[in-house]
Amino acid sequence: MSHTDETGTRQRDTGDGLSSSDDERPTIEPTVSPSTAALGVETLTKQFGEVVAVDDLSLGVETGELRAIIGPNGAGKTTLFNCIMGTLDPTAGTVYLSGDDITADAEERRPHLGMARSFQSNQLFADQTVLENIRLVAQTAEQGAFSMDLLRSHHTVGRERAIEIADDVGLQANLGTEATNLPHGEQRRLGIAMALATDPDVLLLDEPTSGMSPGATAETASLIEDIRDERGLTVILIEHDMDVVLSISDRLTVLDRGSIIATGPPDAVQGNQVVQDAYLGGMREEI
Amino acid sequence: MSAILDARTQAQRLLSESSPAAKLGGLAGVLLLGNAAVQEPGLFIDQAIGGLVYGMILVMISLGLALVLGLMGVVNFAHGALFMLGGYFTYAAMASYGIPFWAALLIAPVGVGVVGIVIEVVVLRRLYGKEPIIGLLATFGLTLMIEEAARFVWGASAVQPAKPAFLTGGTDLGVTQVGTYRLFTVAVATVSVAGVYYLITRTDFGLSVRAGVQDGEMTEFVGVNLPLRFTAMFFLGSAIAGLGGALRVVEFGIDPGAAEEFVLLAFVVVVIGGVGSIFGSVVAGLLVGWAQFLIPVVLSALAVITGVSAINVQGISDLIPFLVMIAVLLIRPRGLFGEEGLLE
Amino acid sequence: MTEETTQESVPRLPTRLERYRIPLGLLVLVLALRPVVSSDLLLGYNAIASKMLIMMLFVAGFNLLFGYTGLLSFGHAMFLGFGLYIPAIFVSNGPGLLPAGGGVTFLFGVALAVAGVAAYGYLLGRLIVGMGEIYFALLTLAFSQAIYFIVLRDPAGLTGGSNGLTQGTLPAFVEQTRGEIAIEAFGQSLDWYWAVALVFLVGMLALWQIVRSPFGRSLVAVSENEQLARAMGVNTTRYKIWSVTFSGIFSALAGVLLMIQSSGAAIENLSVFTSGDTVLMAVLGGVNYFFGPVVGAFSWLFVEDFLTGFELWQFPLSELTLVTVDLSDILVYWQFLLGALFVVVVLTAPEEGIWGYLSSVAEWLRTKLTEVIG
């Protein structure tokens, strides 16, 4: 993995600009060409009426990278995720998954192409057990977006795999609990488990530690790191907790008003004056 | 005046968004109507006025339905029952208490409005913000209750008060005689629909409720009592449906089945007009009314010209609202003037 | 069983008894229903038992769509109508080489009804499932109403219009003597109730298999959280379309039985009121449960028949005319209360219904008992 030590300032020009070797120059996002990255977006724009939520944004994430995206509320982080995952149609721009243009693929196709997400708010099959929540996703991953599998019992599909994944994220003690009755922290983990059950190459996590105690937050952070290491995943993480961001991410991208204002290794971005002025200072007060 | 301007911009929008094929279809429709009008002018005008009367009644029901749906996100299945109650209250006032028609025309809508308030406060308030399907189910249950109550009080068969003497005659329009009562219905309906339309789209009252839908907390912060205004809005929607029922019962009578029959038609109108558009409901109500009365005439005229009698389908008129709706949804799923994304 | 070797905390798979709880329950229901309802203490006559089974199947078919997929159909009578009218039209007319009144003619009619309803359900689904649940409810209602008017106006002279089809709609193997129906085939005579029970069991078991299959679980995922299902890779649109299709087939099957039960096709069965009653029965019974529609249909028909029956019993005693009038007043009152009960159920626990209430009471009793004993 090639890490660059620079931080970037607001930079709209994209091209195939790989990072510069000149130490004094800022990193240019995308750090890798979006069309060859594990996940890339090129000149992506999403407008809601007059409001521009994502503004001509380009981004490339390398295979195996753990990328954190931070930014104040309303910076367009979740909208970016929604565009990447096909929940929203971008107004303009392209989304690439390992070099393939997937902009036109339906939302339900994308998990089968190797990308999955967790949600900011706990999205669960609330009345089903933890096991069934994960099993349903495992079943879908195994059988495809639609399958007329009518003659078997559902117990025969995806169950073993669901138990394995629950084990991996530390939910093995809660398998029989209804999702809605889980404590908040476990619900967030269930979200990660369900995303893992799609067997993704690229995993998008939207604030996986929100609402957790400091202890649980640290646990979840190391869980995410472990998952990435064991499965060789590419992880993109929206996160508010700066400790998590600084400890586990390879690169950090700062979003403000729909655009990237800096990208680089965590320490460098943290030290960057532009970022401090525009965002970090403000956010500390916010927190 | 402003409403007319509003109508012009809306119509222009529709025209600019419609495909050449749709425009061609519109032209063909005009030609077919012209053909029917030339062949039998008397019948044509008769039917056109019949369609107008019917259409205005539909507009009166749909307006309240569209209001509650568009503004409060509740699908009020009981709206047809309110219309039906308007008819029954008028009948009761005139036939049982000997109250003159004029007074009944005032009392019945107010009575229906009060029933509407009770429904809003007791049931609908619990539904704001819930899934719309729950609202649909709950108000469906209310419909059954109101229907049963009506059957209990007034019996299962239709009732009809005597038409007031001064409205019984006909008015000569040159080519044909038209019942005076029908012209009276059109006049009352037009005035009340225009009044409600103005109130919603142009006054502080209407604007505050619409703002409250966008941002409830902010509007309350500004000092507007939103629940009260929602209730007032519901009173208005109920009362105008009740007035529709009052106008209709005198000419056609009313029976308990009217509740579901008319709420269904009102839904059809709202869907055609486009959910969220009050203006759309007005246009669609008239469109459905005229389509139902004029298409049979057009078909019979076309059958005469072409000599193909099969074109003159008997009994098609009940089916027409649904055919129009299916056609509109296939061509333009959000309805004629609907906003995208509502109810999806 | 292999699952016992996995970790303790893993919920074990259901035991054989638990797994076949529903088929066993259905069997008990079929065996017990007629003796119970036809006892003099209750309704006192036989025909209602088979009617109950038919409506149970119909409402269960409806609930595949509503309870299991989250799509509220407000026009389910139209699907019933396919099974009601197409075989009746076939048997009474005897089209082409098929003789009127023939058993084979009837079977062709049933096959066409099922194929027709499947094709119609699929196309309707494709057209309307993408528009959102409220549109789905209103559009099914509108399509159903359109079909009602077509059958009522009878443009092709097939449906008998407002009279329905009453003459010659029964195939030769159906014997009718003094209101009692029997199936005469292969030299055997089968009581109508058992014939219905057979079709009912086959239909309900098929439904049960659908909801326990991977396909059925995907339907549940769609109804519980459509956004999540789609994000996890479920093609929610296709599942919804097929749910409409299957639901239509089961409802049409109930329609075929209803046609024989009532010796013909009556237009009332196609009306918006039938569709509305379907919704009521399912919600009152509890849409979250497989047995919800069964309980809902049973309670509905039982209450309806118990009350009308009550009135009829008083009728011969002419000196008690006043009492009869009072009872009919109560009947009206009861239907009003039923509407009120429905509103309360919808406002408090829209998915639980009677079955949900009964199971929570049973659960409460169980915990109390274990407390007392243990």
Side-chain angles (χ1 to χ4, degrees), chain B residues 306-344:
Chain B
T306 55
V308 185
S309 59
I311 292 175
N312 190 9
V313 186
Q314 293 303 310
I316 195 178
S317 69
D318 292 330
L319 204 56
I320 284 171
F322 304 106
L323 295 179
V324 174
M325 182 184 72
I326 291 164
V328 166
L329 283 176
L330 286 175
I331 299 164
R332 201 180 158 87
R334 63 188 154 113
L336 295 178
F337 302 97
E339 292 155 29
E340 263 172 300
L342 268 164
L343 275 191
E344 280 169 22

Side-chain angles (χ1 to χ4, degrees), chain A residues 107-108 111-112 117 119 123-128 131-132 135-137 139-140 143 145-155 157 159 163 167 172-173 175-176 194-195 198, chain C residues 3 6-7 9-14 19 209-218 220-222 224-225 227-239 242 246 288 351:
Chain A
E107 183 183 12
E108 65 261 20
H112 302 283
R117 75 180 299 184
F119 287 87
Q123 292 276 1
L124 306 162
F125 300 118
D127 293 342
Q128 308 296 322
L131 175 62
E132 183 61 8
R135 197 204 60 77
L136 268 166
V137 182
Q139 172 194 313
T140 307
Q143 301 194 325
F146 177 81
S147 163
M148 190 75 94
D149 188 353
L150 288 164
L151 299 178
R152 285 189 284 171
S153 157
H154 67 273
H155 292 304
V157 184
R159 187 179 152 93
I163 294 171
D167 230 9
Q172 65 272 27
L175 280 169
M194 290 167 80
T198 66
Chain C
E3 54 273 14
T6 56
Q7 287 159 275
S9 55
V10 176
R12 58 180 177 72
L13 283 169
R19 195 176 304 172
Q209 175 54 41
I210 288 179
V211 301
R212 75 196 275 267
S213 73
F215 172 88
R217 299 307 298 179
S218 297
V220 172
V222 172
E224 282 221 2
N225 191 336
Q227 190 196 352
L228 177 64
R230 212 180 298 123
M232 291 299 145
V234 177
N235 189 335
T236 55
T237 308
R238 283 187 76 187
Y239 279 106
W242 280 102
F246 283 126
N288 250 359
E351 293 169 344

Side-chain angles (χ1 to χ4, degrees), chain C residues 34 46-51 53-54 106 170-171 173-176 179-184 189-199 253-263:
Chain C
R34 187 160 72 165
N46 276 333
I48 188 72
S50 47
K51 173 87 184 283
L53 288 185
I54 294 170
F106 171 76
L170 296 183
F173 62 76
V174 176
E175 282 290 325
Q176 250 188 321
E180 298 281 326
I181 310 171
I183 304 293
E184 309 282 345
S189 175
L190 181 65
D191 186 82
W192 174 238
Y193 177 79
W194 295 115
V196 172
L198 204 66
V199 180
L253 203 60
V256 173
L257 295 176
L258 189 62
M259 190 276 279
I260 297 178
Q261 165 94 13
S262 46
S263 329

Side-chain angles (χ1 to χ4, degrees), chain C residues 79 82-87 107-118 249 252 256:
Chain C
F79 297 122
F82 274 84
L84 204 60
Y85 271 91
I86 294 178
L107 291 178
F108 263 97
V110 173
L112 190 72
V114 170
V117 82
I249 292 173
V256 173

